[in-house]
Amino acid sequence: MKLTRQHFEFIADEFAPLLGWANDAETMTDALRKTNPNFDADKFKKRALKNWEAKAEREGLYNE
C-alpha cells in the first residue's frame, strides 16, 4: 500500500496524540517510512510530536 501526504498528515494529526509516549512517534515514523519512498520522515515526526505534545500539555502530562 502506498500512502499519500494526506494519509500521513491525518495520521500525524489524529493518531500521534493517542500515543502513550513521545518516543513512540519514532516507531510510527519508521513503520510509515516503508509505505512510500517519498515519505518525509523528519517532517512527519515534527508534526506528530507537535500534536502529541499539545495533547499532553492540555492534559497536564507534559512539562517542558
Side-chain angles (χ1 to χ4, degrees), residues 2-29:
K2 185 175 178 182
L3 299 178
T4 67
R5 179 175 46 126
Q6 292 167 328
H7 292 114
F8 297 133
E9 290 172 352
F10 179 81
I11 292 167
D13 294 344
E14 300 297 326
F15 292 113
L18 303 176
L19 297 172
W21 299 96
N23 62 350
D24 290 338
E26 183 72 37
T27 304
M28 182 184 283
T29 301

Side-chain angles (χ1 to χ4, degrees), residues 5-62:
R5 179 175 46 126
Q6 292 167 328
H7 292 114
F8 297 133
E9 290 172 352
F10 179 81
I11 292 167
D13 294 344
E14 300 297 326
F15 292 113
L18 303 176
L19 297 172
W21 299 96
N23 62 350
D24 290 338
E26 183 72 37
T27 304
M28 182 184 283
T29 301
D30 290 341
L32 292 173
R33 185 177 284 135
K34 300 170 190 171
T35 67
N36 187 324
N38 297 319
F39 177 61
D40 188 339
D42 291 330
K43 185 176 179 180
F44 175 83
K45 190 167 31 173
K46 285 178 188 174
R47 186 171 180 151
L49 286 172
K50 177 183 168 195
N51 288 311
W52 184 89
E53 290 173 350
K55 181 180 181 239
E57 283 182 27
R58 282 192 308 272
E59 295 179 357
L61 303 173
Y62 179 75

